[in-house]
Amino acid sequence: MPYFPEDFIFGVATASYQIEGAWNEDGKGESIWDRFAHTPGNIQDGTTGDVACDHYHRFEEDVALLKELGVDAYRFSISWPRIFPEGRGRVNEKGLDFYRSLIGKLQEAGIKPVVTLYHWDLPQKLQDKGGWENQETVEAFAEYARFLFQSFAKEVFLWITHNEPWVVSFVGHYEGRHAPGKRDFKSALQVSRNLLLSHGLAVQAFREEKTLGSIGITLNLTPVHPFSDSEEDILAAKRCDGYFNRWFLDPLFKGEFPEDMLLWYEKKGFALPQLSEEEKSLIAQPIDFLGINYYFRRVVGKGEGAIFEVEFFNPPQSEYTDMGWEIYPEGLYEIVKRVSEEYQPEDIYITENGIALPDQPDSKGRINDQRRIDYLRSHLLALHRAVDEGCPVSGYFVWSLMDNFEWGFGLSKRFGLVYVDYTTLQRIKKASFYWYQKVVKSKRVD
Ligand SMILES: N=[N+]=NCCCCNC(=O)[C@@H]1[C@H]2[C@H](O)[C@@H](O)[C@H](O)[C@@H](CO)[C@@H]12
């Protein structure tokens, strides 16, 4: 029966724009996700994060749920425009008070706060001046980070600079499915460079401010398997591994963008993001942990795709989630092993892992999400194998505490251990809530 170490951290994760609501309350400034969701056609079900789970007004009830769940830690993000409505300069004290109250309630409940500085909700005022393509945003992020380190110098267990810079760069600036909805690969490359620089400046500020706790960054990492063992499919998989994984892992841990990807982009005619030696050292300065968000693997082969010349495959024998993602637990073991061996991070936290299901209450108002229990169990067993083989993993966070606003899909995708009825905002604990409660208490997966 696999037991996790006694000091292993079990938690759950959320993000500000996805749960808080109160999009324009108490002095909060507009974010790029407010603007994107208010723009018709961007959100599949036509909903917005204006109310979402109304966590801004219900956070005490939600902390009580966390306490009942018994988690060691709770990962949430701070909404930058709630603190600095214009992105920098004037502080919105009521916004700061909200997070002070939330962190205070977590401490009372004996739950470690884990704070993500940036989970995609950039102040719109900064986007109006170019957003992450603009050096000013890099500087503004460093100021925002330093202000939070000073405001919460002793209370936070883990600080995460960025959540999934790959998604911010390429889904937001190339695929266009996320805010700000750009479709320009050159912009995406420039954004990825600036996100990394802003990460480096934030880590530097964290060290200078002598903030307690640990600091790291969270990447969404996906094993990439070739569809066949043909040379061209293997090369296609290597290109995708570079695009999805090594593009951020290499600068953060090796101080360079991956050479094969730079050559590929140059061959495709894209201006390459430039880094001075000093900027490379800033980005690759030591961090205390790497956060990994794991959901699925990718299976690719040679294709005609514009930039990468790849084709994606969905193995027919696999099961898929409500997001259309393959259920592939071994991928969590694979990615932890690979990262541990190839990049030697100081420590690893699985900062997100979870499954979207079409959850609905039964005639008695219960939600028997057995498929979510099976998903979480299989992934925790895969993670346990990596831990057992000596990989430095110190914690695991389920995405998500509760159903919430799933970006371009709106409120239609449910990832929560807790169901949210969006008409009444009632929270209903699912079967997986009680299953995870036992895992957290026993540190054992059965
Ligand atoms: N091509 N493509 N890929 C799409 C992006 C990769 C997979 N999605 C994620 O990692 C996001 C992460 C996010 O932190 C959270 O805010 C989201 O709610 C979850 C669920 O979606 C996951």
Side-chain angles (χ1 to χ4, degrees):
M1 200 66 75
Y3 279 92
F4 281 86
E6 195 43 45
D7 61 354
F8 190 85
I9 299 288
F10 282 103
V12 288
T14 64
S16 46
Y17 185 76
Q18 295 182 269
I19 65 166
E20 288 179 0
W23 77 281
N24 60 351
E25 237 177 272
D26 286 348
K28 172 180 170 291
E30 185 185 15
S31 78
I32 59 174
W33 268 94
D34 295 317
R35 179 69 61 90
F36 190 76
H38 291 156
T39 306
N42 283 339
I43 309 300
Q44 195 183 68
D45 66 356
T47 60
T48 72
D50 288 2
V51 176
C53 308
D54 195 35
H55 174 72
Y56 186 78
H57 299 110
R58 298 163 190 261
F59 72 95
E60 289 164 297
E61 174 188 357
D62 293 334
V63 172
L65 278 171
L66 289 163
K67 187 169 171 57
E68 185 183 351
L69 186 55
V71 288
D72 305 301
Y74 170 53
R75 176 183 176 226
F76 61 98
S77 75
I78 290 181
S79 169
W80 185 348
R82 229 185 257 292
I83 306 295
F84 291 106
E86 290 80 39
R88 60 196 321 185
R90 180 175 66 83
V91 174
N92 173 37
E93 286 300 333
K94 282 187 177 176
L96 191 59
D97 286 345
F98 169 68
Y99 295 107
R100 279 204 187 97
S101 305
L102 173 60
I103 288 171
K105 288 293 175 194
L106 290 170
Q107 289 180 311
E108 280 172 29
I111 297 168
K112 299 175 192 299
V114 172
V115 173
T116 306
L117 291 172
Y118 187 69
H119 202 125
W120 307 355
D121 41 0
L122 184 74
Q124 181 61 43
K125 286 274 193 282
L126 291 173
Q127 187 62 42
D128 294 344
K129 293 183 275 181
W132 283 110
E133 296 179 66
N134 181 354
Q135 180 63 22
E136 184 189 340
T137 301
V138 174
E139 291 152 14
F141 180 77
E143 291 165 11
Y144 161 65
R146 187 184 296 273
F147 177 78
L148 289 178
F149 298 145
Q150 292 165 346
S151 305
F152 302 113
K154 296 180 169 54
E155 296 89 339
V156 174
F157 176 59
L158 304 177
W159 291 93
I160 297 165
T161 55
H162 281 286
N163 178 74
E164 304 194 347
W166 181 87
V167 173
V168 175
S169 307
F170 296 101
V171 184
H173 294 83
Y174 171 52
E175 295 183 10
R177 291 185 293 116
H178 282 188
K182 283 200 77 167
R183 285 180 170 76
D184 178 332
F185 196 77
K186 180 176 171 296
S187 299
L189 292 176
Q190 181 66 2
V191 164
S192 60
R193 167 192 180 275
N194 288 347
L195 288 169
L196 285 164
L197 287 175
S198 73
H199 159 79
L201 291 174
V203 175
Q204 202 168 56
F206 179 85
R207 305 292 184 213
E208 287 166 1
E209 294 296 331
K210 296 189 174 23
T211 315
L212 295 190
S214 303
I215 191 159
I217 187 171
T218 277
L219 304 179
N220 58 295
L221 299 176
T222 52
V224 184
H225 294 166
F227 180 66
S228 79
D229 58 7
S230 73
E231 181 62 21
E232 55 181 15
D233 285 354
I234 289 169
L235 283 176
K238 186 169 183 290
R239 275 199 302 279
C240 272
D241 178 56
Y243 173 48
F244 291 119
N245 301 318
R246 291 184 285 113
W247 187 251
F248 287 99
L249 282 168
D250 282 24
L252 287 165
F253 292 95
K254 299 180 178 176
E256 298 277 2
F257 281 120
E259 187 61 26
D260 60 329
M261 298 316 292
L262 290 170
L263 288 173
W264 183 268
Y265 294 147
E266 195 169 32
K267 195 175 78 175
K268 289 290 180 180
F270 293 106
L272 298 179
Q274 301 302 311
L275 290 173
S276 68
E277 289 312 305
E278 189 189 359
E279 287 168 335
K280 290 176 184 175
S281 306
L282 176 73
I283 292 169
Q285 70 186 279
I287 49 179
D288 306 315
F289 67 91
L290 172 67
I292 296 177
N293 289 355
Y294 175 75
Y295 288 93
F296 53 84
R297 66 159 173 180
R298 287 184 170 101
V299 180
V300 304
K302 175 79 170 74
E304 303 310 315
I307 295 179
F308 295 96
E309 299 173 16
V310 298
E311 191 179 341
F312 292 93
F313 295 88
N314 288 326
Q317 68 279 18
S318 293
E319 264 192 82
Y320 293 82
T321 74
D322 208 26
M323 297 291 284
W325 297 343
E326 184 188 10
I327 297 176
Y328 189 76
E330 308 81 271
L332 180 51
Y333 168 80
E334 286 174 29
I335 206 72
V336 169
K337 287 288 280 186
R338 183 258 180 106
V339 165
S340 301
E341 288 160 8
E342 201 174 322
Y343 295 93
Q344 296 98 34
E346 187 70 27
D347 203 354
I348 293 172
Y349 285 87
I350 307 305
T351 37
E352 287 179 32
N353 176 241
I355 179 173
L357 292 172
D359 299 321
Q360 284 302 329
D362 64 16
S363 56
K364 296 192 173 66
R366 293 168 310 190
I367 295 121
N368 182 17
D369 56 338
Q370 185 58 45
R371 285 188 66 205
R372 180 168 288 107
I373 294 170
D374 296 343
Y375 179 98
L376 296 177
R377 175 189 291 113
S378 60
H379 285 77
L380 278 169
L381 290 174
L383 180 62
H384 186 270
R385 257 181 72 205
V387 172
D388 227 16
E389 292 177 13
C391 295
V393 184
S394 294
Y396 170 91
F397 294 77
V398 173
W399 183 269
S400 177
L401 165 65
M402 66 181 115
D403 298 338
N404 58 56
F405 184 83
E406 178 51 38
W407 308 113
F409 292 91
L411 297 172
S412 61
K413 302 298 178 188
R414 295 180 179 273
F415 278 89
L417 298 177
V418 175
Y419 180 91
V420 176
D421 177 331
Y422 291 111
T423 52
T424 63
L425 292 166
Q426 184 193 4
R427 277 83 162 127
I428 306 173
K429 289 165 276 195
K430 303 177 189 174
S432 57
F433 177 98
Y434 298 104
W435 178 83
Y436 193 57
Q437 191 180 47
K438 290 196 194 79
V439 170
V440 172
K441 188 174 172 62
S442 66
K443 307 281 183 195
R444 190 182 71 190
V445 182
D446 53 18

